[in-house]
Amino acid sequence: MWLLSQRFLGRVVVCKCSFSTRPQFEVRKALIVSKMTRYELEKFRNPQFDKTDNENNVRRGFDLDEIKKYYDVHKSYESYVVNTLNAFGIETRIVNRTNYNKLDLEWCDAVFPVGGDGTFLLAASFVPDTKKPVIGFNSDPSRSEGHLCLPKKYSKNLSPALEKLREGKLKWRMRTRIRITLKGMDATKLPKQLHNQQMLMPEFRFCNELEGESKAENEYRLPYLALNEVFIGEYLSARVSYFELKLSELPLTKVKSSGLCISTGTGSTSWHLSMNRITKLSVEQILKLLNVPGSNANVENLVKDFNNSLIFSPEEKRLGYTVRDLISAGVWPHPPGLPSRGFSENIEVHSKCIDAGLVIDGGISYPFNDGTKATVEVHSEDALRTVVLNED
């Protein structure tokens, strides 16, 4: 089923004076960060769940045979990745979200997430700088988009991809990431690892793995860099989120909304796009109000063009922001004039919230309540090194 090749990755020599030179890429030790399947998650929470608790599984709507099938599919693919990398002379080590730590990162030359975009984000969360490349393999293209992974055509035939890596037939893509510094009452409080909450783990594993940088009293640079987005808002979604927002070229503005999403170009295809995309129904209603006739094809093209315009480059140094459900009535926002969506070089947020969180890539959540300020910015040295393979 899987195609293997008995070749080896070697050193690619770089001559910096030529535009035709190829990037240097050498891997001797590969860290595989493997997706945690639903079957493994349930076994982690209850080792006997598939043996002694069938009645409860039925009540919860589990199809045990189905989740075991997808577990087997993933493990088969994981073995294929290991065998292929070994065939190229590369030593491998496998971890998942329960045992991934910074010592694994120090051991390897490159990180290979095996799963989908969620696994890629997990793998990237431990990489602190531009030195270690992160290269994702989509383990189940039929059920996962894997936007951050290599193209789907390589999923069942990794050898051509590894050949291109070996020969330097690639371009580095330095994906912008977001640096966050907290100041104030909640600045030094421990975060919650949201996946650990899902697994009902009593401790927050990541909190003990990475250490941030204390700049001054009650000021703390977070150890995690956001690859997709940072979301700030009340934990209870029905409660209004109240904060003061300072963009690069606008005055400090008091805002009430359903939260603030700050996105990179990488994240612009994710939540940022979902929040801001326009629907065919909305365009049709606008054209009707304007008494402008429009064919079905023209409406669909307009929708497509607008939604595509929301996406920006993963290497873009500006941050895209969206104030979700901005209250624009009476005295809000104050002063008036704040666009609900746009770009900024850096962003400051002063919390006036009651029980809010600052969430990094949907996985790490820091308390962010009244009296706490977040500075959100971009630095070149924080970028994530990924690859784009040259296509023949």
Side-chain angles (χ1 to χ4, degrees), residues 26 46 106 176 192 232 279 355:
E26 180 183 25
N46 176 16
E106 293 171 358
T176 294
K192 297 176 182 179
I232 297 172
T279 64
D355 182 27

Side-chain angles (χ1 to χ4, degrees), residues 126-144:
F126 268 85
V127 181
D129 50 39
T130 64
K131 297 177 183 177
K132 298 281 175 83
V134 180
I135 305 166
F137 300 141
N138 188 344
S139 62
D140 192 355
S142 65
R143 300 175 64 241
S144 171

